[in-house]
Every structure is written in C-alpha cells, then in structure tokens.
Amino acid sequence: MTDTDRLAQTRYYVMTLARISGAAGAVLGIVILARATQWGDQVIGGALTLASLFEMAVVPRALAARWRSPPGGPDLPKP
C-alpha cells in the first residue's frame, strides 16, 4: 500500500469516526432528554441531540471538502 492509499484510508476512518461519534452523542442526548425530570436536564439533552445531529451533517462534509484532491488527481502527471 502506498503512502497515498494510507492517507486516504486514514482520512476515511476519521470521517467515519466523526459520523459514529455524532450518532452516539445524539443517542446520549435522546436518553438524557427521555429520562429528564427537570427543565434544565431537558434543555441539556435537547442541545446535545441538536449539536450531535449538526456534527453528523457538517463535519464529515467539511473534512471531505478540505481533503479533496486537486483537479486532475494527485497521481496524474502535470502537463
């Protein structure tokens, strides 16, 4: 495996980890929200859920855009 392949694999795992951590945070927020008896706990659970859903939607796309290959690809020779 070349260095380029390893880098791509690492970046894929980082984006996947961002999705998984967002899903785990959303589940935790829903559990907190469901078990909350006081108003402050409900706010914390709702905020955690919304922040996690935002993370799931934005972070992987932002990372992919940041790491996007230049036009022509990294392995093609420059003219």
Side-chain angles (χ1 to χ4, degrees), residues 32-68:
I32 291 172
L33 189 59
R35 299 187 61 132
T37 57
Q38 297 178 351
W39 184 80
D41 296 338
Q42 290 176 345
V43 170
I44 290 172
L48 181 60
T49 302
L50 291 176
S52 297
L53 292 174
F54 179 77
E55 176 194 351
M56 284 175 45
V58 172
V59 171
R61 287 185 183 189
L63 290 173
R66 181 177 180 182
W67 293 332
R68 183 163 291 129

